[in-house]
Amino acid sequence: MSLSTLKNRRERGFFDGQFLIAMPGMEDRNFARTVIYICAHSDAGAMGFVINRPQSLTFTDVLLHLDMIKQEEPIVLPQGARDFPIQTGGPVESGRGFVLHSDDYASDSSIPVSDDICLTATLDIVRAISKGAGPKRATMLLGYSSWAAGQLENEVANNGWLTCPANEELIFDRSLDDKYERALAGMGINAAMLSAEAGHA
């Protein structure tokens, strides 16, 4: 599923607004020990963002890259922008930035992905955050994760992922190191007890 499909979706699918939590047997290194927030799911496929993989870039690096600030100028950012989190959202379009955020900020390009969360992928929101005028809660993600029609359903059926309703607190939580374990704990599961082998009755 592409971003344009997300913009034009008509109805929500079964995995919309769900977390995917990678099982220990996940063979794709892009997704090992990841927690993914699914923003859109339909017959056409699915799209979401990894929410527990850090990026080496800082928000200042992003602003410099976009020429919003100059290297030779004193860099003065509001506190919320200085430590604004940048994460790796997935392997698709990894050079493109997306901001998942609370619905207290909206521009013409903002896409609602749930009742309380929006997605914006334009420079307006980056500029607003740099001035302290952005959303109350947000995270920037470089790249996204995408599945073709039927692919995600097949991976879940083959024990690739656990699924559960998304938790907004966890989406915007800046502590990434143990987010995988905490997502599992939210389902009442101890990560050490998970088996990489599928169990079939």
Side-chain angles (χ1 to χ4, degrees):
M1 178 180 281
S2 67
L3 187 63
S4 60
T5 307
L6 172 60
K7 290 177 183 176
N8 298 318
R9 67 178 173 165
R10 295 290 181 266
E11 56 187 48
R12 294 183 176 180
F14 179 77
F15 293 114
D16 247 310
Q18 296 274 311
F19 279 157
L20 299 182
I21 305 172
M23 288 289 285
M26 174 62 69
E27 295 179 359
D28 188 334
R29 294 179 63 184
N30 287 312
F31 299 116
R33 289 180 56 82
T34 57
V35 181
I36 296 179
Y37 173 54
I38 296 295
C39 294
H41 173 237
S42 71
D43 290 342
M47 176 191 177
F49 295 94
V50 177
I51 59 164
N52 67 324
R53 187 155 286 174
Q55 257 285 340
S56 57
L57 291 175
T58 66
F59 189 61
T60 299
D61 292 332
V62 171
L63 294 177
L64 287 167
H65 177 74
L66 296 173
D67 288 327
M68 289 187 175
I69 55 176
K70 301 298 181 186
Q71 184 79 55
E72 63 274 9
E73 295 175 357
I75 298 173
V76 181
L77 296 173
Q79 179 61 44
R82 283 200 296 274
D83 57 4
F84 187 72
I86 313 292
Q87 299 181 60
T88 299
V92 183
E93 294 192 65
S94 57
R96 186 174 180 185
F98 303 85
V99 179
L100 269 179
H101 58 91
S102 49
D103 63 359
D104 55 331
Y105 172 94
S107 69
D108 292 341
S109 58
S110 297
I111 304 169
V113 295
S114 76
D115 292 339
D116 306 305
I117 298 174
C118 296
L119 176 68
T120 305
T122 55
L123 296 182
D124 294 348
I125 193 168
V126 177
R127 194 172 289 110
I129 292 167
S130 72
K131 296 177 179 178
K136 182 178 179 182
R137 310 181 79 178
T139 186
M140 176 177 281
L141 304 120
L142 299 183
Y144 63 93
S145 305
S146 181
W147 291 262
Q151 183 183 359
L152 179 56
E153 291 89 335
N154 187 54
E155 290 180 9
V156 171
N158 287 313
N159 205 47
W161 304 96
L162 290 171
T163 66
C164 68
N167 177 322
E168 185 177 334
E169 293 295 323
L170 208 59
I171 292 171
F172 296 116
D173 191 318
R174 297 187 179 190
S175 178
L176 305 184
D177 290 345
D178 64 344
K179 193 176 281 192
Y180 178 76
E181 286 78 10
R182 286 185 290 130
L184 286 171
M187 297 179 68
I189 297 172
N190 183 332
M193 304 299 289
L194 275 180
S195 168
E197 299 299 323
H200 297 287

